[in-house]
Amino acid sequence: MDPPFNEIYKNLLFKQITNTENSVPQIPFSFSITAVVEEVELPVIDVSRLIDGAEKEREICKEEITRASREWGFFQVINHGISMDVLEKMRQEQIRVFREPFDKKSKSERFSAGSYRWGTPSATCLRQLSWSEAFHVPMTDISDNKDFTTLRSTMEKFASESEALAYTLAEVLAEKSGRKSNFFKEKCVRNTCYLRMNRYPPCPKPSEVYGLMPHTDSDFLTILYQDQVGGLQLIKDNRWIAVKPNPRALIINIGDLFQAWSNGMYKSVEHRVMTNPTVERFSTAYFLCPSYDAVIECSGDCPTYRNFSFREFRQQVQEDVKKLGYKVGLPRFVNHLY
Protein backbone atom coordinates (compact mmCIF):
# COMPACT_ATOMS: atom_id res chain seq x y z
CA MET A 1 0.00 0.00 0.00
CA ASP A 2 2.66 2.56 1.03
CA PRO A 3 5.00 4.00 -1.61
CA PRO A 4 8.57 2.61 -1.34
CA PHE A 5 9.94 5.54 0.72
CA ASN A 6 12.46 3.46 2.66
CA GLU A 7 13.83 1.83 -0.47
CA ILE A 8 14.06 4.89 -2.74
CA TYR A 9 15.21 7.37 -0.09
CA LYS A 10 17.35 5.03 2.02
CA ASN A 11 20.49 7.08 1.42
CA LEU A 12 18.78 10.21 2.76
CA LEU A 13 17.09 8.39 5.63
CA PHE A 14 20.03 6.45 6.96
CA LYS A 15 23.20 8.32 6.06
CA GLN A 16 25.10 9.54 9.10
CA ILE A 17 25.86 13.04 7.81
CA THR A 18 23.61 15.61 9.41
CA ASN A 19 22.06 18.15 7.11
CA THR A 20 23.69 21.31 8.43
CA GLU A 21 23.76 24.67 6.73
CA ASN A 22 27.21 23.79 5.39
CA SER A 23 26.02 20.64 3.65
CA VAL A 24 22.86 22.32 2.28
CA PRO A 25 23.92 25.93 1.73
CA GLN A 26 20.80 27.22 -0.05
CA ILE A 27 18.08 25.76 2.15
CA PRO A 28 15.67 28.46 3.38
CA PHE A 29 15.48 29.42 7.05
CA SER A 30 11.88 28.23 7.32
CA PHE A 31 12.97 24.69 6.47
CA SER A 32 14.78 24.32 9.79
CA ILE A 33 12.82 22.51 12.49
CA THR A 34 11.83 25.04 15.10
CA ALA A 35 9.82 24.51 18.26
CA VAL A 36 6.11 25.09 17.78
CA VAL A 37 5.06 27.38 20.60
CA GLU A 38 1.37 26.53 20.65
CA GLU A 39 -1.58 24.93 18.93
CA VAL A 40 -4.13 27.55 17.91
CA GLU A 41 -7.58 27.64 16.40
CA LEU A 42 -7.69 29.74 13.26
CA PRO A 43 -10.32 32.48 12.97
CA VAL A 44 -13.73 30.80 12.53
CA ILE A 45 -16.20 32.54 10.22
CA ASP A 46 -19.87 31.60 9.73
CA VAL A 47 -20.27 32.24 6.00
CA SER A 48 -24.00 31.42 5.95
CA ARG A 49 -24.43 35.13 6.82
CA LEU A 50 -23.34 36.01 3.28
CA ILE A 51 -26.52 34.40 1.99
CA ASP A 52 -29.01 34.37 4.85
CA GLY A 53 -27.95 37.41 6.86
CA ALA A 54 -29.32 40.93 6.82
CA GLU A 55 -27.19 43.57 5.10
CA LYS A 56 -25.38 44.49 8.32
CA GLU A 57 -24.56 40.84 9.05
CA ARG A 58 -23.29 40.33 5.50
CA GLU A 59 -20.96 43.31 5.84
CA ILE A 60 -19.65 42.09 9.20
CA CYS A 61 -18.97 38.67 7.65
CA LYS A 62 -17.14 40.27 4.71
CA GLU A 63 -15.00 42.30 7.10
CA GLU A 64 -14.11 39.16 9.07
CA ILE A 65 -13.04 37.37 5.88
CA THR A 66 -10.97 40.36 4.78
CA ARG A 67 -9.31 40.81 8.19
CA ALA A 68 -8.37 37.13 8.45
CA SER A 69 -6.94 37.18 4.92
CA ARG A 70 -4.82 40.21 5.74
CA GLU A 71 -3.64 39.20 9.21
CA TRP A 72 -3.46 35.40 8.95
CA GLY A 73 -3.72 34.35 5.29
CA PHE A 74 -5.67 31.41 6.74
CA PHE A 75 -9.13 31.06 8.28
CA GLN A 76 -11.86 28.50 8.86
CA VAL A 77 -15.42 28.58 7.56
CA ILE A 78 -18.47 26.90 9.07
CA ASN A 79 -22.00 26.59 7.63
CA HIS A 80 -20.22 26.65 4.29
CA GLY A 81 -22.82 24.81 2.22
CA ILE A 82 -20.91 21.53 1.80
CA SER A 83 -22.76 18.85 3.75
CA MET A 84 -21.02 16.59 6.25
CA ASP A 85 -22.40 13.67 4.22
CA VAL A 86 -20.44 14.80 1.13
CA LEU A 87 -17.30 15.40 3.20
CA GLU A 88 -17.51 12.01 4.90
CA LYS A 89 -18.07 10.22 1.58
CA MET A 90 -15.07 12.08 0.15
CA ARG A 91 -12.94 10.86 3.05
CA GLN A 92 -14.14 7.25 2.70
CA GLU A 93 -13.54 7.15 -1.05
CA GLN A 94 -10.13 8.72 -0.62
CA ILE A 95 -9.12 6.11 1.94
CA ARG A 96 -10.33 3.34 -0.35
CA VAL A 97 -8.23 4.60 -3.28
CA PHE A 98 -5.06 5.01 -1.21
CA ARG A 99 -5.52 1.51 0.27
CA GLU A 100 -4.85 0.02 -3.17
CA PRO A 101 -1.45 -1.63 -3.74
CA PHE A 102 1.25 0.86 -4.75
CA ASP A 103 1.77 -0.73 -8.17
CA LYS A 104 -1.93 -0.43 -8.94
CA LYS A 105 -2.52 3.16 -7.86
CA SER A 106 0.77 4.42 -9.31
CA LYS A 107 -0.27 3.08 -12.72
CA SER A 108 -3.96 3.87 -12.41
CA GLU A 109 -5.70 5.12 -15.53
CA ARG A 110 -8.67 6.58 -13.66
CA PHE A 111 -7.02 10.02 -13.98
CA SER A 112 -4.65 11.57 -16.53
CA ALA A 113 -0.99 10.55 -16.59
CA GLY A 114 1.09 12.07 -13.83
CA SER A 115 -1.84 12.61 -11.46
CA TYR A 116 -0.46 10.20 -8.86
CA ARG A 117 2.57 11.61 -7.03
CA TRP A 118 4.61 10.60 -4.02
CA GLY A 119 7.77 11.74 -2.24
CA THR A 120 10.04 14.41 -3.72
CA PRO A 121 12.07 13.27 -6.76
CA SER A 122 14.35 16.33 -6.52
CA ALA A 123 15.19 15.86 -2.81
CA THR A 124 18.89 15.99 -1.95
CA CYS A 125 18.40 16.04 1.83
CA LEU A 126 15.75 15.03 4.36
CA ARG A 127 14.53 18.63 4.66
CA GLN A 128 13.49 18.54 1.00
CA LEU A 129 11.60 15.25 1.25
CA SER A 130 7.80 15.17 1.56
CA TRP A 131 6.59 11.93 3.20
CA SER A 132 3.25 11.82 1.42
CA GLU A 133 1.38 10.57 -1.60
CA ALA A 134 -1.33 12.36 -3.58
CA PHE A 135 -3.65 12.34 -6.54
CA HIS A 136 -3.42 15.81 -8.15
CA VAL A 137 -6.50 15.78 -10.37
CA PRO A 138 -7.50 18.41 -12.96
CA MET A 139 -11.20 19.21 -12.78
CA THR A 140 -11.53 18.11 -16.41
CA ASP A 141 -10.51 14.59 -15.35
CA ILE A 142 -13.54 14.51 -13.07
CA SER A 143 -16.05 16.19 -15.38
CA ASP A 144 -15.01 14.25 -18.50
CA ASN A 145 -14.70 10.88 -16.80
CA LYS A 146 -17.60 8.70 -17.98
CA ASP A 147 -16.81 6.00 -15.44
CA PHE A 148 -19.64 6.65 -13.00
CA THR A 149 -17.94 5.18 -9.98
CA THR A 150 -18.69 6.30 -6.46
CA LEU A 151 -15.28 7.98 -6.37
CA ARG A 152 -15.97 10.06 -9.48
CA SER A 153 -19.46 11.10 -8.40
CA THR A 154 -18.22 11.98 -4.89
CA MET A 155 -15.31 14.03 -6.27
CA GLU A 156 -17.69 15.79 -8.65
CA LYS A 157 -20.01 16.74 -5.80
CA PHE A 158 -17.18 17.91 -3.55
CA ALA A 159 -15.52 19.87 -6.36
CA SER A 160 -18.73 21.57 -7.51
CA GLU A 161 -19.64 22.71 -4.01
CA SER A 162 -16.04 23.80 -3.31
CA GLU A 163 -16.06 25.78 -6.55
CA ALA A 164 -19.20 27.66 -5.49
CA LEU A 165 -17.68 28.45 -2.09
CA ALA A 166 -14.40 29.56 -3.67
CA TYR A 167 -16.19 31.98 -6.01
CA THR A 168 -18.17 33.43 -3.10
CA LEU A 169 -15.07 34.03 -0.99
CA ALA A 170 -12.97 35.32 -3.91
CA GLU A 171 -15.67 37.80 -4.89
CA VAL A 172 -15.82 39.15 -1.33
CA LEU A 173 -12.05 39.58 -1.25
CA ALA A 174 -12.06 41.23 -4.68
CA GLU A 175 -14.80 43.66 -3.62
CA LYS A 176 -12.95 44.62 -0.44
CA SER A 177 -9.71 45.23 -2.35
CA GLY A 178 -11.46 47.44 -4.92
CA ARG A 179 -11.13 44.98 -7.80
CA LYS A 180 -13.75 43.57 -10.18
CA SER A 181 -15.47 40.60 -8.58
CA ASN A 182 -16.38 38.97 -11.92
CA PHE A 183 -12.68 38.31 -12.65
CA PHE A 184 -12.79 34.83 -11.12
CA LYS A 185 -15.80 33.49 -13.00
CA GLU A 186 -14.17 34.75 -16.22
CA LYS A 187 -10.60 33.58 -15.59
CA CYS A 188 -10.89 30.68 -13.11
CA VAL A 189 -13.19 28.40 -15.04
CA ARG A 190 -13.73 24.78 -14.13
CA ASN A 191 -11.16 23.27 -16.51
CA THR A 192 -8.31 25.33 -14.97
CA CYS A 193 -8.85 24.27 -11.34
CA TYR A 194 -7.62 21.21 -9.44
CA LEU A 195 -8.54 18.77 -6.71
CA ARG A 196 -5.81 17.09 -4.68
CA MET A 197 -6.29 14.07 -2.43
CA ASN A 198 -3.46 13.65 0.09
CA ARG A 199 -2.31 10.82 2.32
CA TYR A 200 0.49 11.15 4.87
CA PRO A 201 1.68 7.67 5.94
CA PRO A 202 3.31 7.07 9.33
CA CYS A 203 6.95 8.14 9.17
CA PRO A 204 9.88 6.51 11.02
CA LYS A 205 11.69 9.85 11.43
CA PRO A 206 8.97 12.42 12.23
CA SER A 207 11.44 14.85 13.77
CA GLU A 208 13.49 14.99 10.55
CA VAL A 209 11.06 14.53 7.65
CA TYR A 210 8.10 16.67 6.60
CA GLY A 211 4.79 15.31 5.40
CA LEU A 212 4.78 18.32 3.08
CA MET A 213 7.67 20.77 2.79
CA PRO A 214 7.18 24.43 3.79
CA HIS A 215 5.55 26.20 0.86
CA THR A 216 2.97 28.70 -0.29
CA ASP A 217 0.16 27.76 -2.69
CA SER A 218 0.46 28.71 -6.36
CA ASP A 219 -3.19 29.66 -6.81
CA PHE A 220 -5.73 32.30 -5.77
CA LEU A 221 -7.49 30.37 -3.03
CA THR A 222 -7.34 26.90 -1.47
CA ILE A 223 -10.17 25.08 0.31
CA LEU A 224 -8.96 22.25 2.56
CA TYR A 225 -10.92 19.44 4.16
CA GLN A 226 -8.76 17.53 6.66
CA ASP A 227 -9.27 14.77 9.20
CA GLN A 228 -8.73 15.24 12.93
CA VAL A 229 -5.16 13.88 13.12
CA GLY A 230 -3.53 17.30 12.90
CA GLY A 231 -0.12 18.19 11.49
CA LEU A 232 -0.83 21.36 9.53
CA GLN A 233 1.34 24.28 10.66
CA LEU A 234 1.77 27.83 9.42
CA ILE A 235 3.91 30.89 10.06
CA LYS A 236 2.32 33.66 12.13
CA ASP A 237 4.35 36.54 13.54
CA ASN A 238 7.61 34.89 12.36
CA ARG A 239 7.06 31.61 14.21
CA TRP A 240 5.50 28.26 13.41
CA ILE A 241 2.15 27.50 15.00
CA ALA A 242 0.10 24.29 14.83
CA VAL A 243 -3.46 24.44 13.54
CA LYS A 244 -6.00 22.80 15.84
CA PRO A 245 -8.38 20.62 13.76
CA ASN A 246 -12.05 21.63 13.80
CA PRO A 247 -14.43 18.87 12.64
CA ARG A 248 -17.11 21.40 11.63
CA ALA A 249 -14.90 23.63 9.53
CA LEU A 250 -13.11 23.85 6.21
CA ILE A 251 -9.76 25.64 6.09
CA ILE A 252 -9.29 28.47 3.59
CA ASN A 253 -5.91 29.92 2.67
CA ILE A 254 -4.81 32.70 0.39
CA GLY A 255 -2.53 31.74 -2.51
CA ASP A 256 0.35 33.58 -4.19
CA LEU A 257 -1.82 34.90 -7.03
CA PHE A 258 -4.22 36.64 -4.65
CA GLN A 259 -1.32 38.25 -2.80
CA ALA A 260 0.03 39.63 -6.08
CA TRP A 261 -3.39 40.59 -7.48
CA SER A 262 -4.26 42.48 -4.27
CA ASN A 263 -0.82 44.19 -4.17
CA GLY A 264 0.05 42.44 -0.93
CA MET A 265 -3.22 43.29 0.85
CA TYR A 266 -3.91 39.58 1.38
CA LYS A 267 -1.16 37.26 2.58
CA SER A 268 -0.05 33.99 1.02
CA VAL A 269 1.43 32.37 4.11
CA GLU A 270 4.05 29.65 4.27
CA HIS A 271 2.72 26.40 5.70
CA ARG A 272 3.81 22.79 6.09
CA VAL A 273 2.57 19.39 7.24
CA MET A 274 4.40 17.47 9.95
CA THR A 275 4.59 13.68 9.94
CA ASN A 276 3.34 11.31 12.60
CA PRO A 277 5.19 8.17 13.72
CA THR A 278 2.09 5.99 14.14
CA VAL A 279 -0.99 7.55 12.53
CA GLU A 280 -1.77 8.29 8.87
CA ARG A 281 -3.44 11.58 7.90
CA PHE A 282 -5.83 12.36 5.03
CA SER A 283 -6.90 15.63 3.44
CA THR A 284 -8.52 16.90 0.25
CA ALA A 285 -7.85 20.32 -1.25
CA TYR A 286 -9.54 22.36 -3.96
CA PHE A 287 -7.36 24.91 -5.79
CA LEU A 288 -8.88 27.97 -7.48
CA CYS A 289 -6.56 28.57 -10.45
CA PRO A 290 -6.81 30.71 -13.60
CA SER A 291 -6.02 29.62 -17.14
CA TYR A 292 -2.31 29.49 -17.99
CA ASP A 293 -2.71 32.53 -20.24
CA ALA A 294 -4.40 34.66 -17.58
CA VAL A 295 -2.33 37.71 -16.63
CA ILE A 296 -2.03 38.58 -12.95
CA GLU A 297 -2.05 42.37 -12.76
CA CYS A 298 -1.02 43.85 -9.44
CA SER A 299 -3.39 46.60 -8.28
CA GLY A 300 -2.52 50.09 -7.04
CA ASP A 301 -0.43 53.06 -8.21
CA CYS A 302 2.80 51.51 -6.90
CA PRO A 303 2.50 47.80 -7.71
CA THR A 304 4.71 45.54 -5.63
CA TYR A 305 4.79 42.89 -8.36
CA ARG A 306 5.15 43.13 -12.10
CA ASN A 307 2.47 41.66 -14.35
CA PHE A 308 2.93 37.97 -15.12
CA SER A 309 0.94 35.13 -16.63
CA PHE A 310 0.04 32.04 -14.64
CA ARG A 311 2.06 29.99 -17.13
CA GLU A 312 5.15 32.12 -16.48
CA PHE A 313 4.68 31.77 -12.73
CA ARG A 314 4.30 27.98 -12.87
CA GLN A 315 7.34 27.61 -15.13
CA GLN A 316 9.48 29.70 -12.76
CA VAL A 317 8.36 27.63 -9.76
CA GLN A 318 9.21 24.39 -11.58
CA GLU A 319 12.64 25.72 -12.58
CA ASP A 320 13.43 26.76 -9.01
CA VAL A 321 12.33 23.45 -7.54
CA LYS A 322 14.46 21.58 -10.06
CA LYS A 323 17.50 23.79 -9.51
CA LEU A 324 17.27 24.64 -5.80
CA GLY A 325 15.08 21.90 -4.36
CA TYR A 326 12.42 24.36 -3.19
CA LYS A 327 10.00 26.99 -4.48
CA VAL A 328 10.92 30.69 -4.43
CA GLY A 329 7.58 32.04 -5.64
CA LEU A 330 6.54 35.70 -5.59
CA PRO A 331 9.97 37.21 -4.78
CA ARG A 332 10.89 36.32 -8.38
CA PHE A 333 8.21 38.73 -9.62
CA VAL A 334 8.87 41.81 -7.51
CA ASN A 335 8.51 45.05 -9.45
CA HIS A 336 11.89 46.78 -9.26
CA LEU A 337 10.60 50.01 -10.83
CA TYR A 338 9.18 51.24 -7.52
Side-chain angles (χ1 to χ4, degrees):
M1 180 180 75
D2 286 351
F5 288 105
N6 289 315
E7 178 184 343
I8 300 300
Y9 296 109
K10 61 183 178 182
N11 289 335
L12 297 184
L13 286 167
F14 301 111
K15 68 181 180 181
Q16 297 303 308
I17 301 172
T18 57
N19 292 314
T20 63
E21 288 187 4
N22 290 330
S23 62
V24 190
Q26 291 183 309
I27 204 160
F29 171 76
S30 62
F31 276 52
S32 60
I33 284 288
T34 53
V36 176
V37 176
E38 60 181 328
E39 182 181 60
V40 302
E41 186 165 39
L42 298 174
V44 180
I45 301 172
D46 182 350
V47 291
S48 67
R49 292 173 293 169
L50 293 174
I51 299 171
D52 303 328
E55 184 176 352
K56 185 177 180 181
E57 288 182 314
R58 289 200 301 271
E59 282 306 310
I60 291 173
C61 185
K62 290 178 181 180
E63 289 298 333
E64 290 176 0
I65 291 169
T66 303
R67 187 183 314 117
S69 299
R70 295 177 75 148
E71 297 177 2
W72 287 79
F74 271 76
F75 57 95
Q76 299 176 101
V77 293
I78 57 173
N79 298 323
H80 40 66
I82 305 178
S83 71
M84 288 306 298
D85 181 56
V86 169
L87 296 176
E88 179 58 25
K89 283 181 178 176
M90 187 70 241
R91 189 181 74 87
Q92 292 173 355
E93 287 300 311
Q94 180 180 8
I95 291 173
R96 186 175 63 83
V97 170
F98 281 118
R99 287 280 184 270
E100 292 179 349
F102 174 71
D103 285 346
K104 181 179 179 181
K105 59 190 171 187
S106 62
K107 299 173 184 174
S108 173
E109 296 181 355
R110 59 167 62 89
F111 305 120
S112 57
S115 294
Y116 177 75
R117 305 169 182 184
W118 69 279
T120 310
S122 60
T124 58
C125 65
L126 287 182
R127 277 286 146 260
Q128 295 175 350
L129 173 60
S130 290
W131 197 271
S132 55
E133 58 178 331
F135 284 96
H136 191 77
V137 185
M139 292 288 284
T140 47
D141 276 16
I142 306 170
S143 303
D144 297 344
N145 191 333
K146 304 306 179 186
D147 179 15
F148 284 92
T149 62
T150 310
L151 172 64
R152 193 209 70 85
S153 59
T154 302
M155 292 179 72
E156 173 69 33
K157 184 72 172 172
F158 177 84
S160 296
E161 296 184 1
S162 296
E163 178 183 66
L165 176 60
Y167 281 153
T168 297
L169 296 172
E171 287 167 4
V172 167
L173 292 168
E175 175 192 329
K176 291 299 179 181
S177 64
R179 304 297 299 270
K180 290 183 179 179
S181 61
N182 63 347
F183 172 88
F184 299 96
K185 286 187 177 178
E186 292 177 357
K187 302 295 184 181
C188 301
V189 295
R190 170 159 292 207
N191 64 3
T192 66
C193 299
Y194 292 84
L195 207 62
R196 183 180 175 104
M197 299 184 292
N198 303 298
R199 174 179 176 261
Y200 302 90
C203 177
K205 293 194 174 187
S207 64
E208 300 178 53
V209 183
Y210 292 121
L212 201 58
M213 287 165 48
H215 67 286
T216 55
D217 287 354
S218 300
D219 64 351
F220 274 106
L221 204 66
T222 304
I223 298 175
L224 179 73
Y225 170 56
Q226 63 169 353
D227 60 22
Q228 300 307 296
V229 171
L232 176 63
Q233 299 180 354
L234 59 92
I235 288 182
K236 179 75 165 73
D237 300 326
N238 296 314
R239 61 188 175 92
W240 286 104
I241 59 173
V243 175
K244 184 178 181 180
N246 181 336
R248 299 172 54 222
L250 296 174
I251 293 177
I252 312 296
N253 68 277
I254 301 298
D256 297 335
L257 304 187
F258 230 136
Q259 177 169 321
W261 197 67
S262 68
N263 198 20
M265 178 176 175
Y266 306 129
K267 306 302 181 188
S268 179
V269 173
E270 199 163 20
H271 52 286
R272 65 189 185 186
V273 176
M274 307 305 287
T275 51
N276 189 298
T278 57
V279 183
E280 61 185 346
R281 175 182 182 269
F282 293 92
S283 68
T284 303
Y286 168 88
F287 299 93
L288 183 67
C289 300
S291 67
Y292 277 5
D293 293 329
V295 176
I296 312 304
E297 297 184 13
C298 189
S299 62
D301 295 330
C302 299
T304 303
Y305 307 99
R306 65 174 177 82
N307 294 350
F308 57 88
S309 70
F310 186 42
R311 174 180 283 104
E312 183 184 1
F313 187 80
R314 287 288 299 265
Q315 288 174 343
Q316 183 64 60
V317 168
Q318 290 167 2
E319 287 176 16
D320 285 336
V321 169
K322 186 175 181 180
K323 181 179 179 180
L324 305 174
Y326 58 88
K327 168 186 169 180
V328 176
L330 283 178
R332 294 287 194 201
F333 296 88
V334 169
N335 188 348
H336 296 292
L337 297 178
Y338 293 92

